[in-house]
């Protein structure tokens, strides 16, 4: 990158000024992670928009790490966001307005420039695919008081809630292999401020309905989806997808078990719908399948190397060992793929992204979805009169989706 272009990025991009961060601290922004060096004072050239910042303090020898702490920001053009390390609490904290203004002017005068690492713009497209519905409104609706998200201070209710064997293994992985027990014990549980996730009921119960009616209502989550969309999201499909992205990022980068459980609830709600994908909410389901396709594609990458070898303390959590063939995701995806196969009419974009998701799971995880002969990536009997009719709702969107 030539000096003039770089200077333009420095001026119009946001800057995250991080003062007094100890050496060897693991620090991440979006899909990028670094090990802090002695001269580090932050990150420059950050594209405007939503980002997730996360960090883990290190012992003096750099071999033990505290729980990951993360927070979302929504950066404006040329904005300077200032955080300062509190040595006693081992936290990045906000500074006073007067200090922030003084430091902002210093950053804009390039006084800190040689101490600021550049945002890796080559990874920005990947981050955009994980956060394209993550607006400032979504962040403000969900983030906890104070903004910090960390598994070490998550509520007893979450930790004591019923979990599958896979979820118990994940919890154990988060609590033991990712940071020292002593560091976890030092977190003040009284300061717990959980995220304000939307409550997703697992079972619908209504007075006056027969058992058969309740069973039917719970088999197809379409009515529950409609109710939640109107009641909790004001009818906005994008807010729901934004929460799906928020919870996934907080889980994968921030290592939050609470976030994983919310991601699972939203995925289970959507994949549990029978009528909505083909009649009332085809566009929502196209967005949804595309979003989880990119989430899983990123999380399951085997060849991704952490920047500056920072992965020594923190690694991706989408481990194949807990994506077993008897997991909730395998079961729900298998049912959904069969649903698409048997539908009389399917939106073309939805069919394309469902096919892509299916191929990703088969290739990355070795999952098998028993079906028959192939037609455009989905599987049907050769003489199946009920094979779906593909309806191309929008050729432009289809071409754009194929291009990405």
């Amino acid at each position: 990158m030539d000096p003039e272009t770089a200077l333009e990025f420095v001026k119009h991009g946001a800057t995250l000024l991080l003062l007094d961060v100890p050496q060897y601290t693991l620090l991440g922004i979006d899909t990028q992670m670094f090990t802090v060096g002695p001269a580090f004072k932050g990150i420059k050239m950050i594209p405007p928009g939503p980002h997730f910042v996360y960090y883990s303090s290190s012992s003096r020898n750099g071999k033990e790490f505290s729980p990951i702490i993360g927070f979302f920001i929504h950066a404006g053009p040329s904005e300077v966001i200032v955080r300062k390390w509190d040595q006693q609490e081992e936290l990045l904290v906000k500074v006073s307005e007067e200090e922030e203004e003084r430091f902002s002017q210093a950053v804009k005068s390039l006084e800190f420039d040689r101490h600021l690492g550049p945002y890796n713009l080559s990874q920005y497209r990947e981050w955009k695919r994980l956060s394209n519905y993550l607006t400032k409104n979504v962040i403000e609706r969900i983030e906890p008081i104070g903004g910090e998200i960390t598994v070490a201070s998550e509520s007893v209710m979450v930790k004591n809630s019923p979990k599958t064997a896979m979820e118990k293994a994940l919890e154990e992985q988060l609590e033991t292999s990712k940071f020292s027990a002593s560091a976890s014990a030092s977190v003040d549980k009284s300061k717990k401020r959980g995220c304000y996730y939307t409550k997703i009921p697992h079972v619908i119960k209504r007075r006056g309905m027969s058992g058969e009616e309740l069973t039917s209502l719970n088999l197809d989550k379409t009515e529950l989806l409609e109710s939640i969309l109107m009641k909790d999201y004001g009818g906005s499909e994008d807010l729901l997808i934004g929460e799906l992205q928020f919870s996934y990022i907080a889980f994968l980068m921030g290592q939050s078990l609470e976030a994983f459980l919310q991601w699972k609830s939203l995925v289970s709600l959507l994949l549990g719908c029978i009528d909505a994908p083909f009649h009332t909410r085809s566009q929502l389901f196209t967005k949804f399948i595309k979003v989880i396709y990119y989430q899983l594609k990123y999380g399951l990458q085997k060849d991704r190397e952490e920047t500056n070898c920072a992965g020594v303390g923190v690694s991706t959590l989408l481990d194949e060992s807990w994506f077993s063939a008897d997991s909730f995701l395998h079961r729900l995806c298998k049912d959904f793929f069969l649903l698409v196969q048997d539908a009389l009419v399917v939106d073309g974009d939805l069919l394309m992204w469902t096919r892509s998701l299916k191929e990703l799971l088969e290739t990355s995880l070795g999952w098998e979805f028993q079906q028959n002969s192939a037609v455009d990536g989905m599987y049907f009997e050769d003489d199946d009169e009920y094979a779906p009719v593909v309806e191309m709702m929008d050729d432009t969107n289809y071409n754009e989706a194929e291009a990405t």
Side-chain angles (χ1 to χ4, degrees), residues 184-221:
S184 177
S186 68
V187 176
D188 186 353
K189 299 294 193 297
S190 67
K191 293 182 179 178
K192 155 66 186 171
R193 295 290 186 272
C195 289
Y196 293 91
Y197 291 120
T198 302
K199 185 172 176 57
I200 311 293
H202 295 290
V203 179
I204 309 171
K205 297 179 180 179
R206 288 185 183 170
R207 291 181 182 178
M209 294 187 76
S210 67
E212 186 177 342
E213 289 171 326
L214 283 172
T215 299
S216 177
L217 192 63
N218 281 283
L219 282 175
D220 183 359
K221 303 289 188 185

mmCIF file of all heavy atoms in Angstrom, residues 184-221:
data_model
loop_
_atom_site.group_PDB
_atom_site.id
_atom_site.type_symbol
_atom_site.label_atom_id
_atom_site.label_comp_id
_atom_site.label_asym_id
_atom_site.label_seq_id
_atom_site.Cartn_x
_atom_site.Cartn_y
_atom_site.Cartn_z
ATOM 1 N N SER A 184 -10.128 -17.470 36.974
ATOM 2 C CA SER A 184 -11.584 -17.541 36.955
ATOM 3 C C SER A 184 -12.161 -17.231 38.317
ATOM 4 O O SER A 184 -13.162 -16.542 38.455
ATOM 5 C CB SER A 184 -12.034 -18.940 36.505
ATOM 6 O OG SER A 184 -13.427 -19.056 36.553
ATOM 7 N N ALA A 185 -11.503 -17.739 39.361
ATOM 8 C CA ALA A 185 -12.009 -17.544 40.717
ATOM 9 C C ALA A 185 -11.938 -16.095 41.157
ATOM 10 O O ALA A 185 -12.687 -15.660 42.035
ATOM 11 C CB ALA A 185 -11.207 -18.413 41.689
ATOM 12 N N SER A 186 -11.038 -15.333 40.535
ATOM 13 C CA SER A 186 -10.851 -13.940 40.952
ATOM 14 C C SER A 186 -11.935 -13.002 40.432
ATOM 15 O O SER A 186 -12.014 -11.861 40.844
ATOM 16 C CB SER A 186 -9.485 -13.440 40.473
ATOM 17 O OG SER A 186 -9.465 -13.340 39.063
ATOM 18 N N VAL A 187 -12.759 -13.469 39.486
ATOM 19 C CA VAL A 187 -13.798 -12.612 38.922
ATOM 20 C C VAL A 187 -14.921 -12.428 39.938
ATOM 21 O O VAL A 187 -15.407 -13.383 40.531
ATOM 22 C CB VAL A 187 -14.373 -13.231 37.619
ATOM 23 C CG1 VAL A 187 -15.523 -12.382 37.099
ATOM 24 C CG2 VAL A 187 -13.277 -13.338 36.582
ATOM 25 N N ASP A 188 -15.308 -11.208 40.146
ATOM 26 C CA ASP A 188 -16.360 -10.880 41.104
ATOM 27 C C ASP A 188 -17.725 -11.190 40.505
ATOM 28 O O ASP A 188 -18.214 -10.479 39.644
ATOM 29 C CB ASP A 188 -16.269 -9.385 41.468
ATOM 30 C CG ASP A 188 -17.263 -9.017 42.571
ATOM 31 O OD1 ASP A 188 -18.091 -9.867 42.952
ATOM 32 O OD2 ASP A 188 -17.186 -7.863 43.039
ATOM 33 N N LYS A 189 -18.358 -12.274 40.981
ATOM 34 C CA LYS A 189 -19.648 -12.690 40.430
ATOM 35 C C LYS A 189 -20.750 -11.663 40.693
ATOM 36 O O LYS A 189 -21.742 -11.608 39.983
ATOM 37 C CB LYS A 189 -20.064 -14.046 41.032
ATOM 38 C CG LYS A 189 -19.083 -15.186 40.744
ATOM 39 C CD LYS A 189 -19.013 -15.528 39.279
ATOM 40 C CE LYS A 189 -18.305 -16.840 39.019
ATOM 41 N NZ LYS A 189 -16.901 -16.853 39.419
ATOM 42 N N SER A 190 -20.558 -10.838 41.728
ATOM 43 C CA SER A 190 -21.585 -9.839 42.049
ATOM 44 C C SER A 190 -21.688 -8.777 40.965
ATOM 45 O O SER A 190 -22.677 -8.060 40.886
ATOM 46 C CB SER A 190 -21.276 -9.181 43.398
ATOM 47 O OG SER A 190 -20.096 -8.398 43.306
ATOM 48 N N LYS A 191 -20.662 -8.660 40.125
ATOM 49 C CA LYS A 191 -20.669 -7.655 39.058
ATOM 50 C C LYS A 191 -21.303 -8.189 37.769
ATOM 51 O O LYS A 191 -21.263 -7.542 36.747
ATOM 52 C CB LYS A 191 -19.238 -7.192 38.770
ATOM 53 C CG LYS A 191 -18.609 -6.416 39.925
ATOM 54 C CD LYS A 191 -17.222 -5.933 39.559
ATOM 55 C CE LYS A 191 -16.603 -5.136 40.714
ATOM 56 N NZ LYS A 191 -15.237 -4.689 40.394
ATOM 57 N N LYS A 192 -21.860 -9.403 37.859
ATOM 58 C CA LYS A 192 -22.463 -10.021 36.679
ATOM 59 C C LYS A 192 -23.570 -9.141 36.096
ATOM 60 O O LYS A 192 -24.470 -8.710 36.786
ATOM 61 C CB LYS A 192 -23.017 -11.397 37.056
ATOM 62 C CG LYS A 192 -24.157 -11.912 36.191
ATOM 63 C CD LYS A 192 -23.706 -12.194 34.776
ATOM 64 C CE LYS A 192 -24.895 -12.560 33.916
ATOM 65 N NZ LYS A 192 -24.559 -12.637 32.511
ATOM 66 N N ARG A 193 -23.444 -8.854 34.831
ATOM 67 C CA ARG A 193 -24.491 -8.150 34.095
ATOM 68 C C ARG A 193 -24.647 -8.864 32.765
ATOM 69 O O ARG A 193 -23.841 -8.673 31.860
ATOM 70 C CB ARG A 193 -24.110 -6.674 33.866
ATOM 71 C CG ARG A 193 -24.013 -5.849 35.145
ATOM 72 C CD ARG A 193 -25.388 -5.620 35.787
ATOM 73 N NE ARG A 193 -25.303 -4.723 36.920
ATOM 74 C CZ ARG A 193 -25.058 -5.098 38.159
ATOM 75 N NH1 ARG A 193 -24.826 -6.376 38.417
ATOM 76 N NH2 ARG A 193 -25.015 -4.223 39.145
ATOM 77 N N GLY A 194 -25.643 -9.731 32.661
ATOM 78 C CA GLY A 194 -25.802 -10.545 31.467
ATOM 79 C C GLY A 194 -26.310 -9.758 30.279
ATOM 80 O O GLY A 194 -26.815 -8.648 30.403
ATOM 81 N N CYS A 195 -26.161 -10.362 29.107
ATOM 82 C CA CYS A 195 -26.694 -9.762 27.888
ATOM 83 C C CYS A 195 -28.223 -9.834 27.900
ATOM 84 O O CYS A 195 -28.810 -10.737 28.507
ATOM 85 C CB CYS A 195 -26.155 -10.506 26.665
ATOM 86 S SG CYS A 195 -24.407 -10.220 26.339
ATOM 87 N N TYR A 196 -28.838 -8.903 27.217
ATOM 88 C CA TYR A 196 -30.300 -8.840 27.167
ATOM 89 C C TYR A 196 -30.814 -9.565 25.925
ATOM 90 O O TYR A 196 -31.378 -8.975 25.015
ATOM 91 C CB TYR A 196 -30.755 -7.379 27.199
ATOM 92 C CG TYR A 196 -30.453 -6.710 28.517
ATOM 93 C CD1 TYR A 196 -29.236 -6.041 28.713
ATOM 94 C CD2 TYR A 196 -31.341 -6.775 29.581
ATOM 95 C CE1 TYR A 196 -28.943 -5.433 29.919
ATOM 96 C CE2 TYR A 196 -31.057 -6.177 30.804
ATOM 97 C CZ TYR A 196 -29.846 -5.505 30.962
ATOM 98 O OH TYR A 196 -29.555 -4.914 32.173
ATOM 99 N N TYR A 197 -30.585 -10.874 25.930
ATOM 100 C CA TYR A 197 -31.034 -11.682 24.803
ATOM 101 C C TYR A 197 -32.546 -11.858 24.823
ATOM 102 O O TYR A 197 -33.175 -11.857 25.886
ATOM 103 C CB TYR A 197 -30.372 -13.061 24.843
ATOM 104 C CG TYR A 197 -28.891 -13.056 24.576
ATOM 105 C CD1 TYR A 197 -27.983 -13.535 25.529
ATOM 106 C CD2 TYR A 197 -28.389 -12.598 23.363
ATOM 107 C CE1 TYR A 197 -26.617 -13.544 25.285
ATOM 108 C CE2 TYR A 197 -27.018 -12.597 23.113
ATOM 109 C CZ TYR A 197 -26.149 -13.070 24.078
ATOM 110 O OH TYR A 197 -24.792 -13.071 23.826
ATOM 111 N N THR A 198 -33.115 -12.033 23.642
ATOM 112 C CA THR A 198 -34.543 -12.301 23.525
ATOM 113 C C THR A 198 -34.845 -13.695 24.065
ATOM 114 O O THR A 198 -34.153 -14.658 23.727
ATOM 115 C CB THR A 198 -34.989 -12.221 22.050
ATOM 116 O OG1 THR A 198 -34.657 -10.919 21.554
ATOM 117 C CG2 THR A 198 -36.474 -12.473 21.909
ATOM 118 N N LYS A 199 -35.870 -13.795 24.879
ATOM 119 C CA LYS A 199 -36.240 -15.098 25.443
ATOM 120 C C LYS A 199 -36.966 -15.919 24.385
ATOM 121 O O LYS A 199 -37.975 -15.485 23.836
ATOM 122 C CB LYS A 199 -37.130 -14.913 26.677
ATOM 123 C CG LYS A 199 -37.466 -16.214 27.382
ATOM 124 C CD LYS A 199 -38.174 -15.965 28.690
ATOM 125 C CE LYS A 199 -38.602 -17.272 29.372
ATOM 126 N NZ LYS A 199 -37.456 -18.171 29.606
ATOM 127 N N ILE A 200 -36.440 -17.107 24.104
ATOM 128 C CA ILE A 200 -37.030 -18.001 23.118
ATOM 129 C C ILE A 200 -37.579 -19.220 23.845
ATOM 130 O O ILE A 200 -36.805 -20.070 24.307
ATOM 131 C CB ILE A 200 -35.993 -18.452 22.065
ATOM 132 C CG1 ILE A 200 -35.210 -17.263 21.507
ATOM 133 C CG2 ILE A 200 -36.672 -19.266 20.964
ATOM 134 C CD1 ILE A 200 -36.026 -16.301 20.682
ATOM 135 N N PRO A 201 -38.913 -19.351 23.989
ATOM 136 C CA PRO A 201 -39.467 -20.526 24.674
ATOM 137 C C PRO A 201 -39.195 -21.800 23.879
ATOM 138 O O PRO A 201 -39.259 -21.807 22.648
ATOM 139 C CB PRO A 201 -40.970 -20.235 24.743
ATOM 140 C CG PRO A 201 -41.223 -19.024 23.933
ATOM 141 C CD PRO A 201 -39.940 -18.432 23.510
ATOM 142 N N HIS A 202 -38.875 -22.871 24.585
ATOM 143 C CA HIS A 202 -38.611 -24.149 23.918
ATOM 144 C C HIS A 202 -39.915 -24.881 23.599
ATOM 145 O O HIS A 202 -39.998 -25.631 22.626
ATOM 146 C CB HIS A 202 -37.719 -25.029 24.796
ATOM 147 C CG HIS A 202 -36.348 -24.466 24.994
ATOM 148 N ND1 HIS A 202 -35.412 -24.405 23.983
ATOM 149 C CD2 HIS A 202 -35.747 -23.904 26.086
ATOM 150 C CE1 HIS A 202 -34.300 -23.853 24.437
ATOM 151 N NE2 HIS A 202 -34.485 -23.544 25.701
ATOM 152 N N VAL A 203 -40.903 -24.665 24.443
ATOM 153 C CA VAL A 203 -42.193 -25.341 24.253
ATOM 154 C C VAL A 203 -43.309 -24.314 24.389
ATOM 155 O O VAL A 203 -43.274 -23.460 25.275
ATOM 156 C CB VAL A 203 -42.392 -26.457 25.303
ATOM 157 C CG1 VAL A 203 -43.747 -27.128 25.114
ATOM 158 C CG2 VAL A 203 -41.279 -27.498 25.203
ATOM 159 N N ILE A 204 -44.294 -24.375 23.487
ATOM 160 C CA ILE A 204 -45.446 -23.480 23.545
ATOM 161 C C ILE A 204 -46.553 -24.154 24.353
ATOM 162 O O ILE A 204 -46.930 -25.291 24.071
ATOM 163 C CB ILE A 204 -45.987 -23.160 22.139
ATOM 164 C CG1 ILE A 204 -44.850 -22.680 21.226
ATOM 165 C CG2 ILE A 204 -47.091 -22.127 22.198
ATOM 166 C CD1 ILE A 204 -45.263 -22.544 19.774
ATOM 167 N N LYS A 205 -47.053 -23.442 25.350
ATOM 168 C CA LYS A 205 -48.162 -23.964 26.153
ATOM 169 C C LYS A 205 -49.308 -22.956 26.137
ATOM 170 O O LYS A 205 -49.091 -21.771 26.366
ATOM 171 C CB LYS A 205 -47.709 -24.207 27.602
ATOM 172 C CG LYS A 205 -46.619 -25.272 27.739
ATOM 173 C CD LYS A 205 -46.207 -25.451 29.191
ATOM 174 C CE LYS A 205 -45.115 -26.504 29.331
ATOM 175 N NZ LYS A 205 -44.680 -26.674 30.740
ATOM 176 N N ARG A 206 -50.513 -23.456 25.872
ATOM 177 C CA ARG A 206 -51.680 -22.580 25.850
ATOM 178 C C ARG A 206 -52.863 -23.248 26.513
ATOM 179 O O ARG A 206 -53.121 -24.443 26.280
ATOM 180 C CB ARG A 206 -52.050 -22.203 24.399
ATOM 181 C CG ARG A 206 -51.064 -21.241 23.765
ATOM 182 C CD ARG A 206 -51.524 -20.813 22.402
ATOM 183 N NE ARG A 206 -50.552 -19.936 21.759
ATOM 184 C CZ ARG A 206 -50.605 -19.572 20.489
ATOM 185 N NH1 ARG A 206 -51.582 -20.007 19.718
ATOM 186 N NH2 ARG A 206 -49.694 -18.775 19.978
ATOM 187 N N ARG A 207 -53.563 -22.481 27.312
ATOM 188 C CA ARG A 207 -54.748 -23.025 27.976
ATOM 189 C C ARG A 207 -55.860 -23.299 26.975
ATOM 190 O O ARG A 207 -56.031 -22.571 26.008
ATOM 191 C CB ARG A 207 -55.258 -22.024 29.026
ATOM 192 C CG ARG A 207 -54.320 -21.869 30.217
ATOM 193 C CD ARG A 207 -54.897 -20.883 31.209
ATOM 194 N NE ARG A 207 -53.999 -20.684 32.342
ATOM 195 C CZ ARG A 207 -54.247 -19.839 33.342
ATOM 196 N NH1 ARG A 207 -55.357 -19.104 33.329
ATOM 197 N NH2 ARG A 207 -53.395 -19.724 34.346
ATOM 198 N N GLY A 208 -56.594 -24.362 27.248
ATOM 199 C CA GLY A 208 -57.764 -24.662 26.428
ATOM 200 C C GLY A 208 -57.482 -25.439 25.165
ATOM 201 O O GLY A 208 -58.404 -25.787 24.430
ATOM 202 N N MET A 209 -56.206 -25.703 24.877
ATOM 203 C CA MET A 209 -55.872 -26.465 23.670
ATOM 204 C C MET A 209 -55.698 -27.936 24.010
ATOM 205 O O MET A 209 -55.168 -28.292 25.065
ATOM 206 C CB MET A 209 -54.584 -25.936 23.023
ATOM 207 C CG MET A 209 -54.696 -24.534 22.459
ATOM 208 S SD MET A 209 -53.221 -24.026 21.521
ATOM 209 C CE MET A 209 -53.465 -24.949 20.008
ATOM 210 N N SER A 210 -56.144 -28.793 23.115
ATOM 211 C CA SER A 210 -56.006 -30.232 23.316
ATOM 212 C C SER A 210 -54.549 -30.634 23.144
ATOM 213 O O SER A 210 -53.729 -29.892 22.585
ATOM 214 C CB SER A 210 -56.861 -30.992 22.309
ATOM 215 O OG SER A 210 -56.360 -30.796 20.990
ATOM 216 N N GLY A 211 -54.225 -31.833 23.620
ATOM 217 C CA GLY A 211 -52.860 -32.333 23.473
ATOM 218 C C GLY A 211 -52.436 -32.430 22.024
ATOM 219 O O GLY A 211 -51.302 -32.118 21.667
ATOM 220 N N GLU A 212 -53.362 -32.840 21.159
ATOM 221 C CA GLU A 212 -53.059 -32.956 19.729
ATOM 222 C C GLU A 212 -52.771 -31.591 19.112
ATOM 223 O O GLU A 212 -51.847 -31.436 18.312
ATOM 224 C CB GLU A 212 -54.242 -33.611 19.017
ATOM 225 C CG GLU A 212 -53.975 -33.910 17.547
ATOM 226 C CD GLU A 212 -55.142 -34.634 16.888
ATOM 227 O OE1 GLU A 212 -55.978 -35.196 17.616
ATOM 228 O OE2 GLU A 212 -55.209 -34.623 15.646
ATOM 229 N N GLU A 213 -53.559 -30.591 19.519
ATOM 230 C CA GLU A 213 -53.352 -29.240 18.999
ATOM 231 C C GLU A 213 -52.011 -28.668 19.464
ATOM 232 O O GLU A 213 -51.297 -28.011 18.699
ATOM 233 C CB GLU A 213 -54.497 -28.322 19.441
ATOM 234 C CG GLU A 213 -55.820 -28.617 18.757
ATOM 235 C CD GLU A 213 -56.967 -27.837 19.371
ATOM 236 O OE1 GLU A 213 -56.950 -27.609 20.607
ATOM 237 O OE2 GLU A 213 -57.885 -27.455 18.609
ATOM 238 N N LEU A 214 -51.667 -28.916 20.735
ATOM 239 C CA LEU A 214 -50.392 -28.434 21.257
ATOM 240 C C LEU A 214 -49.213 -29.114 20.571
ATOM 241 O O LEU A 214 -48.190 -28.490 20.281
ATOM 242 C CB LEU A 214 -50.320 -28.669 22.769
ATOM 243 C CG LEU A 214 -51.106 -27.691 23.649
ATOM 244 C CD1 LEU A 214 -51.117 -28.155 25.088
ATOM 245 C CD2 LEU A 214 -50.517 -26.286 23.556
ATOM 246 N N THR A 215 -49.365 -30.419 20.309
ATOM 247 C CA THR A 215 -48.307 -31.154 19.613
ATOM 248 C C THR A 215 -48.078 -30.573 18.226
ATOM 249 O O THR A 215 -46.944 -30.335 17.804
ATOM 250 C CB THR A 215 -48.671 -32.640 19.503
ATOM 251 O OG1 THR A 215 -48.808 -33.185 20.820
ATOM 252 C CG2 THR A 215 -47.578 -33.404 18.753
ATOM 253 N N SER A 216 -49.178 -30.314 17.512
ATOM 254 C CA SER A 216 -49.087 -29.748 16.168
ATOM 255 C C SER A 216 -48.438 -28.369 16.196
ATOM 256 O O SER A 216 -47.604 -28.037 15.347
ATOM 257 C CB SER A 216 -50.482 -29.661 15.540
ATOM 258 O OG SER A 216 -50.430 -29.048 14.280
ATOM 259 N N LEU A 217 -48.816 -27.573 17.207
ATOM 260 C CA LEU A 217 -48.279 -26.218 17.335
ATOM 261 C C LEU A 217 -46.776 -26.245 17.588
ATOM 262 O O LEU A 217 -46.029 -25.399 17.093
ATOM 263 C CB LEU A 217 -48.995 -25.492 18.483
ATOM 264 C CG LEU A 217 -48.775 -23.979 18.608
ATOM 265 C CD1 LEU A 217 -49.299 -23.252 17.388
ATOM 266 C CD2 LEU A 217 -49.458 -23.456 19.874
ATOM 267 N N ASN A 218 -46.322 -27.246 18.358
ATOM 268 C CA ASN A 218 -44.908 -27.320 18.700
ATOM 269 C C ASN A 218 -44.069 -28.003 17.625
ATOM 270 O O ASN A 218 -42.850 -27.832 17.588
ATOM 271 C CB ASN A 218 -44.722 -28.027 20.045
ATOM 272 C CG ASN A 218 -45.000 -27.109 21.226
ATOM 273 O OD1 ASN A 218 -44.176 -26.287 21.570
ATOM 274 N ND2 ASN A 218 -46.178 -27.224 21.820
ATOM 275 N N LEU A 219 -44.702 -28.769 16.764
ATOM 276 C CA LEU A 219 -43.979 -29.399 15.665
ATOM 277 C C LEU A 219 -43.550 -28.363 14.633
ATOM 278 O O LEU A 219 -42.477 -28.460 14.053
ATOM 279 C CB LEU A 219 -44.835 -30.485 15.006
ATOM 280 C CG LEU A 219 -44.921 -31.817 15.752
ATOM 281 C CD1 LEU A 219 -45.902 -32.750 15.063
ATOM 282 C CD2 LEU A 219 -43.539 -32.471 15.849
ATOM 283 N N ASP A 220 -44.394 -27.390 14.384
ATOM 284 C CA ASP A 220 -44.082 -26.314 13.444
ATOM 285 C C ASP A 220 -43.947 -25.011 14.231
ATOM 286 O O ASP A 220 -44.907 -24.521 14.809
ATOM 287 C CB ASP A 220 -45.196 -26.182 12.400
ATOM 288 C CG ASP A 220 -44.891 -25.113 11.350
ATOM 289 O OD1 ASP A 220 -43.833 -24.464 11.447
ATOM 290 O OD2 ASP A 220 -45.717 -24.934 10.434
ATOM 291 N N LYS A 221 -42.737 -24.459 14.257
ATOM 292 C CA LYS A 221 -42.461 -23.260 15.051
ATOM 293 C C LYS A 221 -42.861 -21.963 14.339
ATOM 294 O O LYS A 221 -42.543 -20.874 14.820
ATOM 295 C CB LYS A 221 -40.966 -23.191 15.378
ATOM 296 C CG LYS A 221 -40.409 -24.392 16.114
ATOM 297 C CD LYS A 221 -40.891 -24.466 17.543
ATOM 298 C CE LYS A 221 -40.152 -25.559 18.298
ATOM 299 N NZ LYS A 221 -40.666 -25.739 19.672
#
